[in-house]
Amino acid sequence: MRIGVLTGGGDAPGLNAAIRAVVRRCFDRGDQPIGIRNGWAGLLGKGDVRVLTPPDVSGILHLGGTILGTSRTNPLKSQAEIEQLTGNIAAFGLDAIAVIGGDDTLSVACRLDELGIRVVGIPKTVDNDLSETDYCIGFDSAAGVVAEALDRLHTTASAHHRVLVAEVMGRDAGWVAVFGGLAGGADFILIPEVPVDIDRVCEHIQRRFALGKEFSIIVVAEGVVMREVVSKEAIREVDEFGHVRLDRRGVGETLSRIIEDRTGLETRVTVLGHLQRGGSPSAFDRVWATRLGVAAVDFIHAGTYGVLVAVRGNRIEPVPIRDAIGRMKQVDPSLYQLAEIFY
Ligand code: F6P
């Protein structure tokens, strides 16, 4: 078989491990792997694809980014582009495509599945917000970056008796904030799923101070909903899938200014931004990316198409892509409550 592989959407640590797994499994099974460059953009126009050979995937397991490149190109916006996709898939003789991506990238895969193209999805997003799968490639590494950053913020916050606010990614879900915050011992975590009054945060910081804890680490997710912070709807810059630039809201900056004004405590903000997406994947991400990449090729050989290779507990199960997209997986409230015990 000629099996295409692409990475779409925001990059995440572990993409190269997944590409390597797909390609190596193709070799095992006598298939020819075809790399599609820059997400769905690689199947538009004249197309941008090439046969992948063993040297292409040698030495990439530990590398961040993606050797195939990525983009947020959305061909669903026009019928002409959907036709370009299907035309190129036929012209390049692709028997099936392993699509490594999150909700947006997989929504295109879902449409192709409806049109009779053989696709298998591999869950990827540092946000970890894809439904029907417990885990998405890149999430563990991103949460690890947050935990390490909080360790560093603790020492400087403690030395200066300051409040330090860390703004983290996650889009409209608080997974990165809650996992990173739990692992890094945050003193308060603010996430989109749980609206919190800033007064409560300030009172908590002051209570800690009165108890002799002269510093506090506050984690805030970029998508948090607070009266004082500009709403998502007010942001004009959107990507091709209609998502607003949440970094433009500056929630960390606003929150730190309010905390300083209301508590009188010196406060600083650190926006972790794309540090959370860059660099080497964790061992956990490498192992799951490897398992999922191999499983995707095995599903293709089994004739199981239109599915996501989903993580359920410690197992991999096929779930229809259409069930995984279009509704965000929210943070489990019990996990948030667990973090609160340690505030
Ligand atoms: O979806 C992954 C993500 O990193 C979000 O957490 C964040 O809101 C967004 O992508 C940032 O996108 P960009 O790469 O366009 O800055």
Side-chain angles (χ1 to χ4, degrees):
M1 294 174 99
R2 273 166 75 86
I3 298 183
V5 55
L6 66 80
T7 52
D11 72 328
L15 285 177
N16 282 324
I19 295 166
R20 169 181 175 266
V22 168
V23 171
R24 292 283 297 269
R25 191 57 163 173
C26 281
F27 294 147
D28 276 353
R29 305 199 67 143
D31 301 321
Q32 187 172 49
I34 309 291
I36 300 165
R37 299 211 55 234
N38 301 323
W40 295 114
L43 289 173
L44 294 178
K46 289 187 181 146
D48 191 356
V49 307
R50 71 185 168 93
V51 173
L52 294 171
T53 61
D56 290 322
V57 293
S58 175
I60 67 167
L61 173 63
H62 64 290
L63 296 181
T66 157
I67 60 161
L68 295 174
T70 188
S71 74
R72 296 195 196 277
T73 301
N74 179 9
L76 296 184
K77 287 202 302 195
S78 100
Q79 182 57 29
E81 293 200 344
I82 294 173
E83 282 164 19
Q84 284 175 37
L85 283 190
T86 53
N88 275 326
I89 290 166
F92 296 135
L94 300 180
D95 296 300
I97 309 177
V99 180
I100 310 171
D103 194 87
D104 297 336
T105 306
L106 293 172
S107 66
V108 181
C110 187
R111 181 83 184 98
L112 290 178
D113 173 55
E114 286 162 8
L115 295 172
I117 309 278
R118 297 158 167 181
V119 290
V120 169
I122 300 176
K124 173 280 323 175
T125 166
V126 295
D127 304 338
N128 199 39
D129 60 354
L130 203 53
S131 290
E132 300 291 332
T133 180
D134 294 345
Y135 155 84
C136 301
I137 295 170
F139 168 61
D140 185 66
S141 304
V145 169
V146 174
E148 197 207 324
L150 296 196
D151 290 349
R152 292 174 186 273
L153 293 177
H154 262 100
T155 59
T156 175
S158 141
H160 284 268
H161 318 297
R162 283 173 170 162
V163 179
L164 288 185
V165 173
E167 179 184 317
V168 306
M169 281 185 170
R171 196 95 77 183
D172 296 315
W175 290 100
V176 177
V178 170
F179 262 68
L182 255 172
D187 301 310
F188 213 111
I189 303 171
L190 292 143
I191 60 172
E193 293 92 332
V194 184
V196 174
D197 201 306
I198 291 190
D199 284 337
R200 227 189 100 202
V201 182
C202 294
E203 281 160 22
H204 179 67
I205 292 168
Q206 281 172 317
R207 202 174 317 119
R208 279 175 51 81
F209 201 83
L211 290 171
K213 296 179 177 178
E214 295 181 337
F215 71 92
S216 290
I217 306 292
I218 313 298
V219 174
V220 61
E222 60 179 0
V224 80
V225 183
M226 284 187 307
R227 214 178 37 244
E228 296 82 349
V229 174
V230 59
S231 73
K232 265 187 6 176
E233 291 67 32
I235 308 286
R236 282 162 196 266
E237 291 152 281
V238 294
D239 67 20
E240 287 207 27
F241 286 88
H243 301 295
V244 299
R245 287 267 308 267
L246 290 176
D247 59 311
R248 289 282 195 243
R249 299 176 71 216
V251 295
E253 179 58 38
T254 306
L255 183 63
S256 75
R257 203 168 8 83
I258 296 173
I259 290 173
E260 188 164 89
D261 289 349
R262 294 192 191 170
T263 65
L265 296 169
E266 221 186 328
T267 306
R268 298 283 190 274
V269 61
T270 301
V271 179
L272 292 178
H274 293 80
L275 289 172
Q276 296 158 98
R277 296 220 314 243
S280 294
S282 64
F284 192 84
D285 274 329
R286 295 180 200 194
V287 171
W288 271 109
T290 301
R291 289 184 66 182
L292 294 171
V294 167
V297 175
D298 289 347
F299 279 145
I300 288 170
H301 275 267
T304 310
Y305 303 119
V307 296
L308 180 74
V309 285
V311 177
R312 301 273 180 87
N314 195 31
R315 295 163 56 86
I316 295 173
E317 290 175 17
V319 300
I321 294 176
R322 95 180 72 84
D323 293 350
I325 60 171
R327 63 194 170 92
M328 191 187 80
K329 182 181 70 184
Q330 295 197 319
V331 165
D332 177 351
S334 68
L335 205 57
Y336 188 77
Q337 287 151 13
L338 177 70
E340 285 181 311
I341 295 172
F342 302 94
Y343 287 176

